[in-house]
Amino acid sequence: MGPRELWDRYRRHLCVCESIGLSLDVSRMNFSDGFLERMAGPMSRAFDAMEELEKGSIANPDEKRMVGHYWLRAPERAPDPAITHTIRETLAAIHRFGDEVHGGGVRPQKAERFRNLLVIGIGGSALGPQFVADALGGPADPMRSFFFDNSDPDGMDRVLARIGTDLGQTLTIVTSKSGGTKETRNGMLEAAHAYAQRGLDFARHAVAVTGEDSELDRHARDGKWVRRLPMWDWVGGRTSELAAVGLLPARLQGFDIDAVLAGARDTDAVTRAREIARNPAALLALMWYHAGGGRGAKDMVILPYKDRLTLFSKYLQQLVMESLGKEKDLDGRTVNQGIAVYGNKGSTDQHAYVQQLREGVNNFFVTFIEVLKDRDGRPLPVETDVTSGDFLIGFLLGTRRALFEKDRESMTITVPDVSPRTIGTLIALYERAVGYYASLVNINAYHQPGVEAGKKAAGAVIELQGKLLARMRAEKGRSHTAEELAAAIGAADEVENVFKVLEHLAVNSPEIRRSGADTYFDARFEAGDTLNFPEKGTGLKGEK
């Protein structure tokens, strides 16, 4: 395709959405001239399914619940006046609390103001807030943000070291819908211990965002935490950034959350339209379908040419892969659907994996994200009439052309800036594109049985560890191989997990000792006199 033909195709297929300041260029996706027309029928059914979703249909039959993240930015569209009321009341409560914290009305136990924010969550309870904090944060923010987003003790120690002596000025938000998420529970216990080490009452520095009457909600209520805000069963974790999960930390960091919501609301209006050529979410979903043959045969590479959007690909990994990675379709057939997502930022990746993208295996399509505004303030020339930002757009256009020359497909999303409104726009755009694509491939985007299976498997390992410790303590001073212990606790089929658990305990527990043997796998393990885990009384069930 020559330059003139490509220009004509660009003009024909560029989707310009002036009301939200966004455009989508799909001209470098190699779909045929009749593709959009052929997909009009399936896309019409996707529009119908989305309409039913927004009206309150039971979209998650596994949990028998509605899916209502679209109501968060347009409460008046909720199917129940009670839902409309609770959304509005929660938003008002977030604003009031933000004012109280910033004004000193809500203050720490031994300091004048809260200056830091520690967010404890996992998955959607952390990825969205992290993305928004990185995208919108700056040195003038009234509160600095930190995150516990894993059950890695060393990772939490590193965060606490960065907070340092400012822990007494740190407000901690613990986020868990069920209130029983183990990673979040563990982070809460670690944080509470850190506060106690400094002579501070954790409750006077803690906020809970959780389901009503959940285990965490009751714990926060009984412990007289600073505040409790709701999570609702009709909002999934990966679509919860515009609920209290994301809006509360964003408001405390000083971001304009009303602008974020406005951007999402206006994008919903644009992407609700049934004219495919003018609907960027519908076009995105159709391009995903085209690129992967409706089976996810190609990976989605996200390349934002803006440092502030570095975490966007990480955020989209959960939104896209947890929503679309499904074994069964809606008819119960095994389909193993999904689209793999990865990416980082341009132009960094021109010096990393773009070499493979251009000349290696052609198993991907790229989405470039172009931000028109370079910086606040006056531009600085680095050459005559050329700025660093000019080079950045040059790298984007050059990389796009280099890929096209090798028959690599790409799209380009263009936005004016990285502002609260733009962040809301991008979130809403991809949320709806995911919903449309799920309809096109006949899967349920709103449940996650694979994630639940992983949680159950992890719980089984912890139960196995408990049995091992009980057996070894009962025979203190006597050594065993992994195979002997597995047989002794009735878990002979789990000997590999037994061996891995024993390896971990021998390195981390002062109670468990390992001695060598003729072969690596014949190592012997025994319990000594030092207790393994100190007691931490929190009032939560199932703790150790």
Side-chain angles (χ1 to χ4, degrees):
M1 185 181 301
R4 183 67 199 187
E5 293 174 295
L6 190 55
W7 168 245
D8 290 341
R9 184 175 171 85
Y10 173 78
R11 294 177 63 186
R12 186 164 66 253
H13 291 298
L14 183 66
C15 176
V16 180
C17 306
E18 293 182 356
S19 64
I20 58 174
L22 177 143
S23 67
L24 171 64
D25 169 23
V26 298
S27 62
R28 284 167 172 76
M29 300 294 289
N30 297 326
F31 59 92
S32 64
D33 290 341
F35 174 73
L36 295 180
E37 183 178 342
R38 289 197 306 274
M39 295 300 294
M43 199 65 232
S44 178
R45 292 189 287 274
F47 288 137
D48 291 342
M50 184 65 71
E51 186 175 335
E52 290 302 309
L53 180 84
E54 291 197 82
K55 287 179 179 178
S57 65
I58 300 300
N60 189 334
D62 292 358
E63 301 174 25
K64 295 181 174 57
R65 63 175 175 85
M66 301 179 291
V67 172
H69 50 275
Y70 298 108
W71 310 328
L72 297 171
R73 51 267 200 172
E76 69 280 1
R77 298 181 67 92
D80 185 340
I83 293 177
T84 299
H85 177 75
T86 193
I87 294 171
R88 289 174 172 162
E89 281 296 301
T90 300
L91 180 59
I94 290 170
H95 276 301
R96 286 195 301 270
F97 185 62
D99 288 341
E100 291 170 353
V101 170
H102 294 162
V106 173
R107 62 181 61 188
Q109 180 181 358
K110 297 180 180 180
E112 290 299 313
R113 296 285 179 91
F114 282 111
R115 304 293 185 187
N116 300 312
L117 185 64
L118 174 60
V119 179
I120 301 177
I122 192 77
S125 297
L127 286 169
Q130 283 176 313
F131 162 55
V132 171
D134 192 53
L136 300 179
D141 297 344
M143 299 180 75
R144 296 185 304 159
S145 61
F146 301 87
F147 294 87
F148 282 2
D149 63 351
N150 199 2
S151 194
D152 180 2
D154 179 61
M156 289 182 272
D157 288 344
R158 293 177 68 193
V159 172
L160 290 170
R162 287 170 54 212
I163 296 173
T165 58
D166 291 337
L167 188 64
Q169 297 177 291
T170 301
L171 181 70
T172 293
I173 301 175
V174 183
T175 303
S176 171
K177 182 192 292 187
S178 68
T181 306
K182 298 305 182 187
E183 296 96 332
T184 304
R185 188 279 312 269
N186 296 347
M188 182 194 72
L189 295 179
E190 295 273 0
H193 179 69
Y195 279 94
Q197 291 290 99
R198 293 188 176 274
L200 298 168
D201 180 2
F202 178 63
R204 295 177 66 175
H205 303 80
V207 174
V209 179
T210 187
E212 184 179 0
D213 203 37
S214 72
E215 191 175 336
L216 175 59
D217 190 44
R218 295 192 298 272
H219 178 63
R221 179 196 62 210
D222 296 344
K224 295 181 172 56
W225 285 22
V226 176
R227 202 64 48 100
R228 291 148 48 222
L229 288 168
M231 293 181 73
W232 304 293
D233 64 358
W234 39 267
V235 177
R238 58 191 174 278
T239 54
S240 65
E241 175 55 26
L242 303 188
V245 172
L247 294 182
L248 176 60
R251 178 64 171 79
L252 290 169
Q253 289 165 89
F255 307 152
D256 185 351
I257 61 174
D258 292 326
V260 176
L261 291 168
R265 180 179 62 249
D266 292 347
T267 301
D268 285 343
V270 168
T271 57
R272 203 176 279 123
R274 287 178 172 258
E275 185 182 355
I276 293 174
R278 302 272 68 86
N279 185 328
L283 281 173
L284 272 181
L286 287 169
M287 293 304 101
W288 300 350
Y289 188 93
H290 151 75
R295 295 300 308 274
K298 290 192 175 182
D299 300 341
M300 182 189 303
V301 180
I302 305 294
L303 279 179
Y305 275 65
K306 200 69 173 176
D307 286 5
R308 286 185 178 273
L309 297 180
T310 298
L311 295 182
F312 192 44
S313 60
K314 187 176 179 181
Y315 168 77
L316 290 180
Q317 276 185 333
Q318 183 187 22
L319 177 63
V320 174
M321 296 177 73
E322 191 169 323
S323 298
L324 303 182
K326 302 296 162 62
E327 180 183 13
K328 304 287 186 179
D329 69 7
L330 293 173
D331 299 318
R333 297 174 298 187
T334 299
V335 291
N336 298 117
Q337 278 285 358
I339 302 176
V341 179
Y342 66 93
N344 203 321
K345 65 183 180 183
S347 64
T348 299
D349 287 300
Q350 292 177 210
H351 305 277
Y353 54 72
V354 167
Q355 168 64 30
Q356 177 171 312
L357 297 187
R358 187 173 191 269
E359 299 186 6
V361 58
N362 190 356
N363 63 346
F364 66 92
F365 60 96
V366 173
T367 303
F368 293 98
I369 301 179
E370 174 191 18
V371 179
L372 294 177
K373 185 176 181 180
D374 287 339
R375 67 173 3 139
D376 292 329
R378 298 181 62 182
L380 175 69
V382 294
E383 294 181 8
T384 303
D385 295 330
V386 180
T387 69
S388 298
D390 297 333
F391 269 107
L392 189 65
I393 185 63
F395 291 136
L396 187 159
L397 296 176
T399 303
R400 187 175 68 159
R401 179 172 182 171
L403 293 177
F404 183 73
E405 289 172 348
K406 290 290 187 177
D407 199 32
R408 270 59 171 167
E409 293 182 293
S410 71
M411 295 177 276
T412 302
I413 294 172
T414 302
V415 293
D417 52 26
V418 181
S419 62
R421 181 176 174 83
T422 296
I423 293 302
T425 292
L426 289 172
I427 289 171
L429 173 68
Y430 274 88
E431 283 180 347
R432 197 169 293 264
V434 163
Y436 285 151
Y437 182 86
S439 294
L440 291 176
V441 299
N442 194 39
I443 61 169
N444 185 345
Y446 306 107
H447 68 160
Q448 50 280 335
V451 175
E452 298 306 316
K455 291 179 180 179
K456 291 178 181 178
V461 172
I462 297 301
E463 183 180 351
L464 185 70
Q465 176 173 304
K467 292 179 179 179
L468 287 169
L469 287 170
R471 182 73 183 198
M472 296 169 76
R473 286 166 179 163
E475 300 180 358
K476 187 180 298 183
R478 178 182 174 187
S479 66
H480 311 260
T481 66
E483 289 185 346
E484 290 169 349
L485 280 168
I489 64 171
D493 291 341
E494 291 290 320
V495 64
E496 183 179 344
N497 278 341
V498 167
F499 183 74
K500 297 299 293 181
V501 168
L502 290 170
E503 276 194 312
H504 183 260
L505 287 172
V507 171
N508 293 281
S509 168
E511 179 185 6
I512 304 303
R513 301 163 187 165
R514 174 179 182 159
S515 56
D518 291 340
T519 72
Y520 185 79
F521 299 105
D522 290 329
R524 305 190 70 83
F525 301 86
E526 64 181 275
D529 295 328
T530 306
L531 290 178
N532 190 16
F533 296 111
E535 295 295 328
K536 290 185 180 180
T538 66
L540 287 183
K541 297 177 181 177
E543 70 182 53
K544 292 289 185 183

